[in-house]
């Protein structure tokens, strides 16, 4: 597998990041805030210290709504 | 990260509380905390008939779910605003609310603005003076009016809304920048009933928005995933994002901001705790019977006279 092996999905956008870093680093890299996004891997919420592994698919859920 | 209670893998880390929990313990914790706030702020009791304002979104359905789990007598009220006829935003939101109620055998009241008043919210906004470029102003007024009127007409003891701490903090920040003292008095957790006004309560006011969202996701509550089209680019969203940037650098910033505000409110730092000036005037609208500040008609009914 290539080193860009983690897929992060937010709404209809897809991002690729390296594995071997914790989720909060990946979010920071994408300029996203852990306070405003929850992350789901294999159907379960994960905390921001979780290490991202090769082949992971992370679905982000934006939790902030306005209006 | 591990759950503080059982050592299993955590699903959420709440840095402001230095508390990480697994799914099972988080789903216990959030209702327990809600119950604690209900008692602490003397919100309501199990003998009260409650009306929850339900939008089909995550917060209001999560609130209704928690009240149901805690065995409170809570009916829902959905107001169909007639928003975004093309993508059917209001129709879809209503479906989520109805499905939720059906699955739990709960009672949902529905008020359809178009059917009841002859026009949808965007239509009223398009032709009324108040609405020029401000659909949300018309919408907010209409919702407050309908919630209040329904709660009173049907004899509910309190009207509950699912405002979370992010909502309240964004509201306070925005009004602090304007030094709008009368509006700053409206970040209350409980607003007692006043002549013509139902008691208003916000049982989720101490939860961060990510906690209510996590609860909805973990409970597998189906909620309308997209935002009201008029919320996009709103000032509230802007303030929420800023607050969360500060929270990231200084965990607990939002919580302190709100809790210290509640303490200040208790000390009477802000003016009279009333929802609207209408309470003071003692006048009633000749059409709907709700309190009004001046003239024959209340602000809501006035929109139909222009
Ligand atoms: S965003 Fe504005 S128009 Fe949409 S529901 Fe909220 S107040 Fe109403
Ligand atoms: Zn646990
Ligand atoms: Zn009126």
């Amino acid at each position: 597998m290539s080193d860009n092996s983690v897929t992060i999905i937010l709404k209809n956008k897809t991002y690729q990041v390296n594995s071997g870093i914790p989720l909060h680093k990946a979010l920071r890299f994408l300029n996203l805030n852990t306070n405003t996004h929850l992350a789901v891997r294999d159907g379960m919420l994960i905390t921001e210290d979780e290490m991202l592994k090769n082949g992971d698919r992370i679905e982000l859920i934006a939790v902030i709504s306005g209006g | 990260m591990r759950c503080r209670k059982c050592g299993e893998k955590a699903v959420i880390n709440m840095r402001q509380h230095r508390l990480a929990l697994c799914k099972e313990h988080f789903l216990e914790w959030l209702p327990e905390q809600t119950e604690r706030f209900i008692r602490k702020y003397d919100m309501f009791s199990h003998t009260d008939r409650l009306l929850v304002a339900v939008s089909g979104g995550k917060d209001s359905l999560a609130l209704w779910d928690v009240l149901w789990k805690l065995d409170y007598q809570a009916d829902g009220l959905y107001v169909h605003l007639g928003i975004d006829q093309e993508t059917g935003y209001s129709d879809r939101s209503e479906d989520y609310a109805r499905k939720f109620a059906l699955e739990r055998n709960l009672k949902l009241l529905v008020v359809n603005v178009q059917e009841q008043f002859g026009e949808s919210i965007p239509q009223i906004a398009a032709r009324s003076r108040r609405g020029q470029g401000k659909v949300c102003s018309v919408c907010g007024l209409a919702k407050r009016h309908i919630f209040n009127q329904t709660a009173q007409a049907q004899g509910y003891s309190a009207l509950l809304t699912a405002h979370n701490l992010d909502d309240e903090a964004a509201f306070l920040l925005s009004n602090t920048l304007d030094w709008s003292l009368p509006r700053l008095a409206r970040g209350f957790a409980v607003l007692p009933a006043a002549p013509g006004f139902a008691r208003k309560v916000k049982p989720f006011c101490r939860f961060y928005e990510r906690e209510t969202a996590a609860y909805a996701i973990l409970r597998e509550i189906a909620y309308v995933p997209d935002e009201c089209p008029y919320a996009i680019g709103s000032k509230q969203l802007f303030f929420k994002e800023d607050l969360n940037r500060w929270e990231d650098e200084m965990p607990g910033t939002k919580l302190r901001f709100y809790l210290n505000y509640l303490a200040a409110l208790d000390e009477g730092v802000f003016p009279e705790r009333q929802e609207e000036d209408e309470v003071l005037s003692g006048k009633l609208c000749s059409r709907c019977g709700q309190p009004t500040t001046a003239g024959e008609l209340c602000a809501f009914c006035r929109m139909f006279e222009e």
Side-chain angles (χ1 to χ4, degrees):
Chain A
M1 272 199 197
S2 77
D3 50 2
N4 277 351
S5 56
V6 175
T7 305
I8 297 188
I9 303 155
L10 175 61
K11 289 181 185 135
N12 32 32
K13 285 202 202 105
T14 303
Y15 307 91
Q16 300 290 330
V17 297
N18 292 343
S19 58
I21 54 167
L23 173 67
H24 67 85
K25 279 221 168 115
L27 289 187
R28 200 156 262 242
F29 175 70
L30 298 173
N31 213 358
L32 297 171
N33 190 325
T34 50
N35 289 305
T36 54
H37 295 85
L38 290 169
V40 175
R41 179 174 65 193
D42 302 327
M44 190 40 69
L45 285 182
I46 58 171
T47 51
E48 56 277 12
D49 63 323
E50 275 295 304
M51 278 297 185
L52 303 180
K53 303 187 298 285
N54 274 1
D56 272 355
R57 264 176 81 86
I58 309 288
E59 193 201 332
L60 296 181
I61 300 162
V63 301
I64 294 300
S65 60
Chain B
M1 206 170 286
R2 298 276 148 194
C3 172
R4 189 205 278 177
K5 294 199 177 160
C6 70
E8 287 292 309
K9 203 179 184 69
V11 295
I12 188 163
N13 177 31
M14 296 171 280
R15 288 204 294 164
Q16 81 278 23
H17 301 311
R18 297 171 192 272
L19 179 64
L21 294 172
C22 69
K23 176 178 175 177
E24 184 194 333
H25 286 117
F26 179 70
L27 288 179
E28 262 175 36
W29 177 85
L30 191 134
E32 272 168 19
Q33 290 296 306
T34 311
E35 182 74 70
R36 188 166 82 82
F37 304 149
I38 291 170
R39 290 189 190 177
K40 180 178 168 70
Y41 298 106
D42 208 358
M43 290 178 168
F44 43 78
S45 74
H46 281 93
T47 55
D48 285 321
R49 280 181 66 234
L50 310 171
L51 186 64
V52 188
V54 173
S55 69
K58 65 181 188 320
D59 294 287
S60 56
L61 292 181
L63 173 60
W64 205 9
D65 185 74
V66 168
L67 295 166
W68 173 68
K69 274 182 71 171
L70 294 173
D71 259 335
Y72 285 99
Q73 305 177 53
D75 296 344
L77 170 60
Y78 177 79
V79 178
H80 188 294
L81 305 161
I83 284 173
D84 205 359
Q85 318 290 7
E86 296 95 73
T87 69
Y89 180 77
S90 290
D91 287 345
R92 284 186 293 119
S93 302
E94 182 177 336
D95 287 344
Y96 282 102
R98 280 194 188 277
K99 196 164 155 277
F100 178 95
L102 200 67
E103 282 168 2
R104 290 162 184 76
N105 204 13
L106 291 166
K107 182 173 167 191
L108 178 72
L109 313 178
V110 176
V111 173
N112 187 307
V113 173
Q114 170 99 44
E115 282 167 19
Q116 193 131 336
F117 302 98
E119 288 170 297
S120 68
I121 294 294
Q123 284 168 341
I124 301 170
R127 62 138 188 86
S128 66
R129 208 173 328 127
R130 173 185 274 267
Q132 293 318 302
K134 292 187 296 182
V135 177
C136 293
S137 164
V138 170
C139 184
L141 175 65
K143 282 190 290 197
R144 276 204 303 281
H145 180 89
I146 294 166
F147 291 156
N148 188 52
Q149 191 158 50
T150 311
Q152 292 201 99
Q154 315 238 2
Y156 286 97
S157 339
L159 173 66
L160 279 50
T161 53
H163 290 93
N164 57 52
L165 196 143
D166 288 67
D167 294 324
E168 298 301 282
F171 176 82
L172 294 175
L173 178 58
S174 164
N175 287 302
T176 300
L177 293 177
D178 289 339
W179 288 117
S180 172
L181 288 180
R183 305 199 83 211
L184 275 173
R186 288 171 57 175
F188 55 84
V190 174
L191 187 72
F197 285 99
R199 179 179 178 82
K200 298 195 180 79
V201 183
K202 300 170 186 164
F204 271 4
C205 65
R206 288 182 55 159
F207 292 123
Y208 282 5
E209 195 152 355
R210 74 194 283 270
E211 290 148 24
T212 56
Y215 181 85
I217 292 164
L218 292 168
R219 286 278 291 161
E220 297 179 36
I221 294 172
Y223 61 86
V224 62
D226 47 330
E227 288 247 37
C228 172
Y230 297 103
I232 295 161
S234 74
K235 210 167 86 172
Q236 193 199 23
L237 222 46
F238 177 83
F239 286 122
K240 280 186 177 179
E241 268 162 20
D242 271 354
L243 282 160
N244 279 300
R245 262 193 288 276
W246 302 342
E247 182 76 22
D248 207 27
E249 299 298 329
M250 300 169 282
T253 299
K254 290 185 294 184
L255 183 65
R256 278 195 304 280
F257 184 47
Y258 185 61
L259 292 186
N260 290 339
Y261 161 79
L262 284 184
L265 195 61
D266 259 356
E267 282 164 24
V269 170
F270 298 100
E272 184 85 10
R273 281 216 233 167
Q274 86 241 356
E275 171 85 343
E276 305 281 4
D277 306 331
E278 283 88 340
V279 178
L280 298 176
S281 80
K283 293 193 195 117
L284 298 179
C285 171
S286 62
R287 181 171 303 169
C288 71
Q290 292 219 57
T292 171
T293 36
E296 279 280 283
L297 298 176
C298 71
F300 178 77
C301 292
R302 250 188 336 260
M303 290 195 300
F304 297 91
E305 285 298 298
E306 288 164 357

